Amino acid sequence: DDVTCNFEISTCERMCQWEDALGILNSMWRHRVKPDIVSFGTTISICDKAARWNIALDLLVAAADASIQANIVVVNAAISACAAAGEWSFALGALREAA
């Protein structure tokens, strides 16, 4: 279920295992468990910490495509990932999309 998957993703966050977190997120869809804002937000946060700004943005778009409204924490993590990589135009784009 989504609670178990979110716990597993949170465990990945503590260990900065972004690839494993993405795998869990993808497996949720395969097993017909709909990811929620926690699933996406935690995975985006891991991508921020792992300097994977492009994946963080892809996840932000995927959340929107899944009709999941990103909150300020999730958007901030995506912006932070872009900013840390010097990708200011993408950071500003994410901010505009959130507004």
Side-chain angles (χ1 to χ4, degrees), residues 1-21:
D1 67 344
D2 62 335
V3 174
T4 302
C5 291
N6 287 343
F7 176 78
E8 291 175 3
I9 292 171
S10 293
T11 301
C12 293
E13 182 179 31
R14 286 190 291 279
M15 302 180 75
C16 203
Q17 296 175 328
W18 66 273
E19 292 171 315
D20 291 341

Side-chain angles (χ1 to χ4, degrees), residues 28-70:
M28 290 174 79
W29 292 109
R30 285 193 307 275
H31 296 290
R32 296 197 170 117
V33 176
K34 185 179 179 188
D36 59 15
I37 190 62
V38 174
S39 314
F40 278 102
T42 306
T43 307
I44 289 170
S45 178
I46 297 168
C47 289
D48 173 23
K49 293 172 186 167
R52 302 293 179 187
W53 66 271
N54 52 337
I55 297 172
L57 283 183
D58 288 346
L59 290 171
L60 193 60
V61 170
D65 289 347
S67 300
I68 297 171
Q69 179 68 41

